[in-house]
Amino acid sequence: MGEAGPLDLDEVACRPVGHSFYNEAITRLARGRLGRAQFVVSSALRTVTLQIIHYPHPTLNYKSKPVKRVDAELRGMIAEMFDLMYAARGIGLAANQVGIPLRFFVMNLAGAKGEGEELVFINPTISRTTGADEAEEGCLSLPGVYGPVLRPAEVLFSAYMPNGEKFEQKVSGMFARCVQHETDHLDGIMFIERMDDDSLYQIQPEVDQFELTFERLRSEGKLPTDQEITAFQNDIEAKYA
């Protein structure tokens, strides 16, 4: 993916957050020191009701489009994503996991509202990786399914903050794993696609059950058709991508 240009911010300004905020937050997280919550996203009108979608929803395979503008409605979506993430007891949530085909994700390694650091990464790019580390992962779009995933131990990544500033940071540990997991989502890749064949075989019955449930709900008219999903994606992309 080519590098996205600067973000276009509307007149509804979010709380100013400089490079030092993100760098200090990331440093604390990397060292395992989770302080009190510092909110990056200002409150906004929530004009879209979101919910976490489950595998094999087509949007999860969609390569998300870079965000070109941030407005009050998008900030409302971001705030709602944090609420959904906490309710599902997660630590990261990508936009396409709530059906939004845009390149951003939210993250809080504490996994609880009022704790840790709430971070928003817009148009993230991983430019360099080093080392290797295997650990168990799960996914809010495949709740209850877990498996080992081998990933680089350290990554250099860059992203935009909600106020339009760009930053670059080297991270490791759980922070690096979460960044890679969520960035994969934005590229249409789920963690089960990173698992080795033997490990995937062990959880295949659970994955198959999600596919059966999806098809049943679709046949009952309880999930949108591919045409409806595409129309919604086109509307969102026309406004923000």
Side-chain angles (χ1 to χ4, degrees):
M1 184 197 81
E3 183 175 348
L7 296 180
D8 175 26
L9 303 177
D10 69 1
E11 70 280 2
V12 184
C14 62
R15 171 186 161 190
V17 180
H19 289 274
S20 60
F21 173 85
Y22 267 50
N23 290 341
E24 290 170 7
I26 290 170
T27 299
R28 285 196 298 274
L29 288 164
R31 294 176 179 173
R33 298 203 299 268
L34 297 174
R36 295 178 60 189
Q38 300 187 49
F39 297 96
V40 178
V41 185
S42 63
S43 60
L45 295 175
R46 300 185 183 185
T47 57
V48 176
T49 300
L50 305 177
Q51 62 180 358
I52 297 174
I53 60 177
H54 291 168
Y55 174 87
H57 193 288
T59 303
L60 295 172
N61 296 323
Y62 187 82
K63 187 169 183 177
S64 301
K65 297 293 180 64
V67 178
K68 292 184 178 179
R69 64 187 300 264
V70 175
D71 62 8
E73 183 178 355
L74 188 64
R75 294 189 193 100
M77 295 180 197
I78 290 171
E80 191 165 357
M81 284 174 62
F82 273 115
D83 290 343
L84 289 170
M85 183 185 77
Y86 294 139
R89 304 180 70 177
I91 61 174
L93 186 64
N96 63 341
Q97 288 184 271
V98 294
I100 304 299
L102 300 176
R103 197 169 184 84
F104 71 88
F105 66 87
V106 302
M107 175 175 158
N108 182 350
L109 293 186
K113 191 175 183 67
E115 300 179 19
E117 310 282 357
E118 289 194 335
L119 302 172
V120 182
F121 298 120
I122 301 174
N123 299 339
T125 300
I126 296 174
S127 57
R128 189 167 68 244
T129 65
T130 56
D133 178 54
E134 185 176 74
E136 185 177 78
E137 292 188 16
C139 181
L140 298 184
S141 292
L142 270 171
V145 178
Y146 302 93
V149 179
L150 181 67
R151 294 189 185 273
E154 185 176 80
V155 302
L156 178 67
F157 84 108
S158 61
Y160 284 94
M161 297 175 283
N163 68 349
E165 289 191 51
K166 187 178 182 180
F167 79 100
E168 185 176 70
Q169 184 74 30
K170 182 183 293 184
V171 296
S172 59
M174 182 58 73
F175 199 108
R177 180 168 293 275
C178 191
V179 164
Q180 293 175 83
H181 180 109
E182 302 306 333
T183 301
D184 266 355
H185 269 304
L186 301 180
D187 289 329
I189 301 169
M190 297 191 66
F191 83 96
I192 56 175
E193 298 174 63
R194 299 289 190 189
M195 294 172 59
D196 62 58
D197 291 342
D198 289 341
S199 298
L200 183 58
Y201 178 79
Q202 297 297 320
I203 64 168
Q204 194 61 54
E206 299 169 77
V207 174
D208 291 344
Q209 188 58 51
F210 275 92
E211 294 178 353
L212 292 173
T213 299
F214 182 85
E215 292 304 323
R216 176 178 59 79
L217 293 174
R218 263 260 175 107
S219 67
E220 295 172 355
K222 296 179 180 179
L223 291 175
T225 65
D226 287 346
Q227 292 76 14
E228 290 170 332
I229 292 171
T230 298
F232 176 74
Q233 290 176 337
N234 290 341
D235 288 344
I236 294 292
E237 289 173 0
K239 186 171 184 178
Y240 295 107

